[in-house]
Amino acid sequence: MRAADLDRRLDLPPLFQGITLQDGADAFLHARAIAPEAGAGTLVLARHGLRFDCAVVLEPAMPLSRARSALYVGMTALAAALAGAAPPEHPSGFAWPDLVRIDGAKLGGVRLASAPVAGDLQAPAWLVLHAGLRLAEPPGIETGHFVDRTSLEQQGFEDNDPVRLAERFARHLMAGLYTWQDEGFSPVAEQYLARLDAPAAARRGLDPNGDLVLADEAGQETRLSLADAVSSPQWLDLVA
């Protein structure tokens, strides 16, 4: 990585370094390509007029079976980054595991990629956590044209600047990762579940391996596998 590649305008937490790509580039693909050499804390931000496209390289010191739960840290960090500019009447919520919604309409989400491993019990050399959001619709598209999706502009967000959003995302992500390291997975699960709108259940919980456990009034449990779900993100069509 050349020094000229670092974007000095990004105000990132300690141990983070920023790379800015021009319009048309893909932050997720770029972060995956450089992850083996770039190291933890490398944040890649791609410039796009209508969407937020940001990816962060992580180096988890745990098996992949547990490291996948970084998705929940990323989701909570993204929601916290949005909260600072969100109108109070339009808080964001989650549809498990990776979709961010406002008033039930799709806004974006988080996805995860990992270095190849021999099995879930092996620690991956790196993870890439990618956050994508729709900032605005193309000119000429009226509010409500797409009944199942929305944008920050349509929701009246005061600040949808991608640079400031990336900075807030990085700070909340770092705080979430420290909480996970110092206090365990329970507070991570609590913060995520507090924003989880769907699926509904009498009781909901997250296993350390990331699986969502739902229980009905009779105590009958249903388990949803995070390992299966991360292979098919629900929100990519929003930011294509």
Side-chain angles (χ1 to χ4, degrees):
M1 186 188 316
R2 302 189 309 272
D5 292 332
L6 299 182
D7 187 351
R8 301 304 180 187
R9 293 189 301 164
L10 280 167
D11 181 14
L12 299 175
L15 306 181
F16 275 71
Q17 57 180 343
I19 299 174
T20 300
L21 308 178
Q22 296 305 309
D23 195 5
D26 187 307
F28 185 58
L29 292 180
H30 188 82
R32 290 178 62 180
I34 67 171
E37 292 80 29
T42 300
L43 182 146
V44 181
L45 177 64
R47 302 278 193 174
H48 303 284
L50 302 178
R51 57 191 175 95
F52 175 66
D53 183 15
C54 180
V56 179
V57 178
L58 307 175
E59 293 180 347
M62 62 181 67
L64 179 59
S65 59
R66 293 173 52 210
R68 286 193 190 95
S69 292
L71 181 83
Y72 298 127
V73 183
M75 287 285 287
T76 303
L78 184 58
L82 290 171
E89 67 274 17
H90 295 306
S92 60
F94 302 151
W96 186 84
D98 58 9
L99 177 64
V100 177
R101 307 190 301 185
I102 294 181
D103 295 333
K106 299 176 181 179
L107 177 66
V110 172
R111 60 174 159 163
L112 199 65
S114 67
V117 293
D120 271 12
L121 297 181
Q122 182 179 350
W126 52 263
L127 294 176
V128 169
L129 196 65
H130 175 230
L133 297 169
R134 181 154 289 277
L135 300 176
E137 296 291 353
I141 300 296
E142 297 182 359
T143 300
H145 179 83
F146 298 102
V147 295
D148 64 341
R149 87 180 195 195
T150 189
S151 68
L152 297 186
E153 182 179 72
Q154 289 178 339
Q155 294 294 330
F157 274 62
E158 296 178 358
D159 183 4
N160 61 3
D161 178 79
V163 171
R164 289 191 290 271
L165 182 56
E167 292 169 348
R168 295 196 299 269
F169 176 61
R171 288 193 289 271
H172 288 293
L173 179 62
M174 182 181 70
L177 293 172
Y178 279 144
T179 296
W180 189 9
Q181 177 180 335
D182 294 343
E183 302 178 32
F185 183 64
S186 292
V188 172
E190 290 174 5
Q191 292 175 25
Y192 177 85
L193 291 170
R195 295 183 180 271
L196 185 63
D197 297 330
R203 293 187 302 279
R204 301 179 298 187
L206 292 175
D207 272 0
N209 70 353
D211 290 353
L212 178 66
V213 181
L214 307 173
D216 61 19
E217 294 290 353
Q220 185 68 34
E221 289 191 352
T222 301
R223 180 178 295 269
L224 302 179
S225 168
L226 179 63
D228 293 340
V230 295
S231 62
S232 301
Q234 304 175 68
W235 52 272
L236 291 184
D237 59 324
L238 300 174
V239 295

